[in-house]
Amino acid sequence: MITPDVVKTEIARILGYEAAALESTTPLSDLVIDSLDLVELVLGLEEIFSIRLVEEDLGGVRTLAELTDLVLLRDRSYGERKLGATQ
Amino acid sequence: MSERIDENELWMLSLYRRSEISGAMFFGKLANVLKPGPIQFDMTRHFADESRHAWQWTECIVRLGAKPLPFDWAYQDRYLKAVGVPANIMEILAITHVFERRVFNHYTAHRQLPLVRPEVKETLMRIMDDEKWHLAWVGRALKDMEVQFGSDAVTKTLRRCSEADKDIYRQLVNEHAERMAAFTQALSNRSQEMLQ
């Protein structure tokens, strides 16, 4: 099941950090050295979670929490579970 | 070994070497996160090719009696700045296709200059054989992705990347116009000297 913690763990793994060391408010620019790292991160998340992002998705993403939210939003099963829980 | 390499020619060959290193790092990172399948397979070979090209330029420069110049930037760094971070594999491959076409055309133009040193010509020829395959596999993968992303989206992305590429190349030529002109002049001088 995809949860915010699972997404955070995968982000940390791809970028080579300890998940526990990452705060949700951490700006992505503090985690990636260059745009090459960011490409690797985006593609890695798409492959792991079988999601597809579009160009507009990345425009407003600044922090770890925002990227996590985006992955969860694009993961349909998570969206359906969340919807089910609120009904 | 040919006569001593001109400073501008060394600059150009060192830039090629740096760009191949950047390409290898880019494809290596992507090959590392892709799921097993045809794209992972071809991208891993692409990564290996770029690494070998970096080695071939290094070897070529050394054979010419010189040492590679250090660079803190590569041509393709400017792509991501110009077109933004690609959001998916289709956009990554579109950027790659446009960049590979640029490399192929630039290497072709270099090879056709008068009196290119045999060591350089040989390196260009060896690398260009691989570049043909790069263009073919990326083009084929993009065609296959039309089913998933839609042919309009693929065409639009390729067009956007091509426009950015034209600007980037124009910018590079303008920034280094003096050096590039001197490089072409050095080749021309060499041909004049050989006629005397």
Side-chain angles (χ1 to χ4, degrees):
Chain A
M1 184 194 291
I2 302 180
T3 65
D5 277 346
V6 171
V7 178
K8 184 182 164 186
T9 303
E10 290 301 336
I11 291 172
R13 193 183 59 77
I14 294 168
L15 295 176
Y17 290 94
E18 288 290 330
L22 301 183
E23 298 287 335
S24 58
T25 52
T26 307
L28 282 178
S29 54
D30 287 358
L31 300 176
V32 295
I33 296 169
D34 52 25
S35 43
L36 191 55
D37 286 339
L38 202 49
V39 177
E40 182 189 19
L41 177 60
V42 169
L43 186 64
L45 292 172
E46 288 184 339
E47 292 285 295
I48 291 162
F49 297 115
S50 299
I51 54 167
R52 280 286 167 253
L53 304 177
V54 293
E55 193 192 344
E56 295 75 28
D57 283 343
L58 299 172
V61 174
R62 296 282 176 271
T63 64
L64 188 62
E66 287 169 353
L67 181 60
T68 303
D69 286 347
L70 176 62
V71 171
L72 295 172
L73 183 72
R74 291 288 170 237
D75 175 57
R76 192 180 294 173
S77 65
Y78 179 84
E80 284 165 359
R81 281 200 311 277
K82 207 172 177 183
L83 192 65
T86 56
Q87 281 175 345
Chain B
M1 194 196 298
S2 305
E3 68 195 78
R4 193 163 173 76
I5 188 170
D6 162 76
E7 181 206 332
N8 294 303
E9 193 172 1
L10 176 60
W11 181 87
M12 184 69 83
L13 301 187
S14 299
L15 179 60
Y16 294 167
R17 174 183 178 271
R18 178 64 174 84
S19 288
E20 299 288 357
I21 289 174
S22 276
M25 289 164 74
F26 181 68
F27 292 114
K29 277 176 180 274
L30 300 182
N32 192 39
V33 292
L34 280 169
K35 279 183 194 160
I39 294 184
Q40 186 204 56
F41 187 88
D42 286 337
M43 197 166 276
T44 308
R45 177 175 158 188
H46 199 144
F47 155 61
D49 285 352
E50 301 284 325
S51 305
R52 195 176 55 257
H53 297 168
W55 155 243
Q56 285 166 332
W57 281 124
T58 309
E59 187 189 33
C60 175
I61 292 167
V62 171
R63 277 171 72 194
L64 292 169
K67 291 175 184 167
L69 298 174
F71 273 81
D72 60 0
W73 59 275
Y75 182 71
Q76 58 266 54
D77 295 344
R78 301 175 178 210
Y79 273 66
L80 297 182
K81 279 188 193 140
V83 299
V85 174
N88 52 55
I89 186 69
M90 183 273 283
E91 291 188 9
I92 289 170
L93 291 181
I95 291 174
T96 302
H97 198 263
V98 168
F99 175 70
E100 292 291 335
R101 203 171 48 205
R102 170 63 66 197
V103 170
F104 189 83
N105 289 339
H106 183 90
Y107 280 173
T108 302
H110 187 160
R111 200 191 61 187
Q112 287 169 348
L113 286 171
L115 283 182
V116 174
R117 293 165 196 278
E119 295 89 341
V120 174
K121 192 170 252 181
E122 184 195 326
T123 308
L124 284 167
M125 298 286 279
R126 286 161 74 190
I127 292 176
M128 283 171 69
D129 273 347
D130 294 331
E131 302 295 351
K132 282 180 206 161
W133 178 77
H134 295 170
L135 279 167
W137 94 258
V138 177
R140 197 170 51 241
L142 278 169
K143 189 80 192 152
D144 291 346
M145 281 178 188
E146 288 181 358
V147 178
Q148 189 187 348
F149 290 89
S151 60
D152 280 358
V154 174
T155 306
K156 230 168 88 179
T157 308
L158 278 168
R159 198 177 302 133
R160 184 164 59 88
C161 294
S162 293
E163 289 306 315
D165 171 68
K166 280 180 203 158
D167 288 342
I168 294 164
Y169 193 70
R170 198 177 299 125
Q171 202 184 343
L172 181 86
V173 171
N174 287 339
E175 275 173 31
H176 303 284
E178 226 170 277
R179 201 178 274 282
M180 286 185 167
F183 162 65
T184 313
Q185 187 61 47
L187 291 182
S188 171
N189 290 345
R190 200 179 308 149
S191 65
Q192 291 300 319
E193 283 163 16
M194 287 185 74
L195 289 172
Q196 286 167 5

